[in-house]
Amino acid sequence: MLDLEPGPLLGVDVSADYPLTTLPLPDGTLLALYTDGLVEVPGADPSRITAALADHLAAHRADGLDTLIDGLVQVGWPSGRHTDDIALLLLRAGRPPL
């Protein structure tokens, strides 16, 4: 998990500045970006859910990205009844084929 400076909420202030983060992504790195709707489950600890998401990514990193996304949403919301919108972006770093 990365500890990054958060920016303001999207759309709140069109002139807002957002922090820029640069980091190397070695081949094989799997990066998951998600909105709070994935981890802020009523009655649950967001840090516990975040840890469960990291465990799921580590255990299933070889799965296809579509399968990983479905699995992550299931980890965050096992009942399947979401109370907030969820945006999830997965990026697998690697060299393009020659």
Side-chain angles (χ1 to χ4, degrees):
M1 285 185 259
L2 300 173
D3 185 22
L4 304 174
E5 177 187 354
L9 297 174
L10 293 175
V12 171
D13 180 0
V14 295
S15 64
D17 290 324
Y18 292 88
L20 174 65
T21 301
T22 303
L23 60 131
L25 295 177
D27 285 353
T29 298
L30 183 62
L31 181 65
L33 305 172
Y34 54 87
T35 59
D36 61 344
L38 184 60
V39 296
E40 291 183 356
V41 177
D45 177 12
S47 61
R48 182 195 60 76
I49 295 172
T50 302
L53 293 172
D55 290 344
H56 185 84
L57 280 171
H60 299 276
R61 63 179 291 110
D63 292 353
L65 295 182
D66 289 340
T67 302
L68 269 173
I69 288 170
D70 290 342
L72 290 169
V73 172
Q74 181 66 32
V75 167
W77 290 88
S79 71
R81 303 183 74 199
H82 313 159
T83 59
D84 194 357
D85 59 323
I86 297 171
L88 176 60
L89 172 68
L90 294 182
L91 170 78
R92 192 182 313 268
R95 283 189 249 181
L98 298 174

